[in-house]
Amino acid sequence: MDGAYRLGVGQAHGKIILAGEHAVVHHQPAIALPFSSVKLTVRIKAFTADDPRSPSQVTIHSDYDQGDFFAHSDHLAGIQTIWSAFFDEYQLVRPSAIIQIKSTIPPERGMGSSAALATAFTRALFDCYQINLDSETLSDYTHRSEQIAHGNPSGIDEQIVRSRDAIYFKKDEMPAYFQLSLPAYLVVADTGEIGNTHRAVSDVHLLLKEKTTIVKGWITAIGEIVEEMMRAIKQKDITLIGKLMNKNYYYLQQLTVNNEKLDFLVQNALSAGALGAKLTGGGRGGCMIALAESERIAKKVAKHLKTAGAKETWLLSLE
Ligand code: PMV
C-alpha cells in the first residue's frame, strides 16, 4: 500500500494460433504461440475512502474508454464481472479506483486481446490487494470473462496469453507446454478489419447442426492436421508445416470463417514465397500468418502483404 491508495499492476501478451482454431472449440487439439511483440498492461489505483485524491467512482482510462467503468458495458462486461466477483469472493469493501489500460494488442483481431485484458486485469486486482494468485484461480477468473466475450470459448486464449512457451491445447485438459524451435520466421499481418469471434464460433455451431456429417469431417480433419504438425515441429520439417498451414486454411474456408481480405493476403503471402499461410484466431477479419524459411523471405512476404493492404505486419523468429 502506497500512502492512501493501493497500486496493482498486471500484464499479459498477445497470442498466435498456429493451427486448430475453431476445431478446438469442438474438442480437437490446437497449437498456439505466445506473441510478446504485443502486450497489454493494467494498472489499478484503489483509494481508501478518506483520500482527498479519491475519485467518487471507478473510472477507466484506455484508448477506447474514458470515464465511468460501469457505464461502458459492452466490451468491458468481462472485466466488470471479474471486479464484482473479486470483491464478493474476498469480502472486501469496493473502493473508488482508477483503472488504466495500455495495450499494443490490436483488439478483435484474433490476437487474444480479450483474454489478455482479463488476465492482466485479474493480476492487477490481486496485486493491488497483495493476495496470492495461483494458476487455477487466474484461469477461473479469466474464463468467466472470456465466456462473456466469446460465448463458448475453448480456453486456449486464456492459457497462451500468460505462457512463455508454445502450447498443444485440448479443451478441458491441461495444456502441454513445449519450446518451439524452428529454422523459420512467421510473418503476422493485420487485415485492419475487425473480426467477430463470438459470431464466427456460433456460425460454425449452426453449420455443424445443419450439415453434421460433413462439418464433423472438416473439424476432425483439422485435428489430424494439428497432430501431423506436432510431428513436423519435432522433426523441424518447415516445408511440411507450411503445407499443413495451407491445408488448415482450406478447412477454415469450408467452415466459412475466412473472408475476402484474408484470402487475398494469404494468396499474396504464398506468391511472395511463403511456405504456407492461413488466418489466425477467430477469422472473418483479424490477422493472418505466413511461414517463411528465412528472414529475407519473411521481409519480402511482409512487404508484399503491406502492398496488398495489410494494416500492420510483424516478424517473429521461431528459432
Ligand atoms: O479470435 P480469438 O483471438 O479470440 O481466437 C479464438 C480462437 C477460437 O478457436 C476461434 C475460439 C476459441 O474459443 O478457441
Side-chain angles (χ1 to χ4, degrees):
M1 182 142 165
D2 176 8
Y5 64 80
R6 297 166 176 275
L7 177 67
V9 183
Q11 203 176 60
H13 48 250
K15 68 103 217 277
I16 286 161
I17 298 185
L18 191 59
E21 51 273 270
H22 285 287
V24 70
V25 175
H26 304 274
H27 299 273
Q28 293 296 329
I31 303 167
L33 322 177
F35 188 46
S36 38
S37 307
V38 290
K39 285 194 171 70
L40 185 148
T41 307
V42 174
R43 279 171 201 278
I44 300 176
K45 254 187 192 178
F47 293 88
T48 55
D50 54 358
D51 189 317
R53 291 165 298 178
S54 165
S56 55
Q57 56 185 2
V58 182
T59 54
I60 183 150
H61 299 281
S62 77
D63 287 346
Y64 305 96
D65 302 284
Q66 297 290 334
D68 181 1
F69 176 53
F70 291 98
H72 303 82
S73 59
D74 44 358
H75 54 284
L76 295 179
I79 58 171
Q80 287 166 356
T81 301
I82 294 178
W83 178 273
S84 302
F86 175 80
F87 289 104
D88 287 352
E89 280 159 27
Y90 290 91
Q91 299 189 344
L92 292 163
V93 177
R94 291 179 188 223
S96 324
I98 299 174
I99 299 166
Q100 186 194 61
I101 302 170
K102 282 205 181 304
S103 179
T104 54
I105 308 178
E108 298 178 70
R109 304 292 216 292
M111 277 202 195
S113 68
S114 68
L117 175 60
T119 303
F121 188 79
T122 306
R123 282 177 162 162
L125 259 183
F126 279 74
D127 184 41
C128 205
Y129 287 84
Q130 297 187 351
I131 299 171
N132 179 47
L133 177 62
D134 60 37
S135 173
E136 210 176 306
T137 310
L138 179 56
S139 296
D140 178 34
Y141 275 79
T142 52
H143 196 66
R144 283 189 235 184
S145 174
E146 281 290 90
Q147 272 176 321
I148 294 169
H150 280 185
N152 175 24
S154 65
I156 191 168
D157 285 13
E158 299 142 50
Q159 296 299 329
I160 196 62
V161 297
R162 63 192 217 226
S163 172
R164 283 170 198 270
D165 292 325
I167 59 173
Y168 167 90
F169 181 89
K170 268 189 181 171
K171 197 174 178 176
D172 302 329
E173 289 181 21
M174 285 301 289
Y177 296 91
F178 67 98
Q179 289 213 333
L180 186 83
S181 168
L182 293 170
Y185 280 77
L186 211 55
V187 182
V188 183
D190 181 0
T191 60
E193 291 176 356
I194 286 182
N196 187 336
T197 303
H198 200 314
R199 182 77 195 271
V201 167
S202 50
D203 284 355
V204 173
H205 270 101
L206 280 179
L207 204 62
L208 187 61
K209 236 178 161 182
E210 278 166 20
K211 307 186 202 169
T212 307
T213 312
I214 187 156
V215 177
K216 254 191 187 165
W218 295 335
I219 288 171
T220 310
I222 294 177
E224 286 164 4
I225 289 168
V226 169
E227 297 296 0
E228 203 179 341
M229 197 180 282
M230 282 305 286
R231 291 191 288 275
I233 287 171
K234 276 185 197 129
Q235 289 158 5
K236 299 188 192 285
D237 186 344
I238 56 170
T239 309
L240 180 55
I241 296 170
K243 281 187 185 150
L244 292 168
M245 284 168 70
N246 293 339
K247 212 167 154 188
N248 190 168
Y249 191 52
Y250 166 79
Y251 287 112
L252 288 166
Q253 287 174 317
Q254 303 312 302
L255 293 176
T256 72
V257 295
N258 61 318
N259 74 2
E260 246 175 63
K261 182 112 184 231
L262 283 164
D263 287 353
F264 186 62
L265 293 187
V266 163
Q267 268 319 313
N268 268 272
L270 294 174
S271 43
L275 296 168
K278 62 182 274 293
L279 68 84
T280 182
R284 302 239 178 107
C287 290
M288 55 79 66
I289 51 172
L291 188 72
E293 63 189 275
S294 67
E295 190 175 8
R296 186 184 62 80
I297 298 178
K299 281 184 175 160
K300 187 179 162 205
V301 170
K303 205 173 154 200
H304 266 74
L305 290 173
K306 271 267 170 128
T307 312
K311 189 175 174 220
E312 205 171 338
T313 58
W314 297 262
L315 251 57
L316 177 66
S317 165
L318 301 179
E319 249 89 41

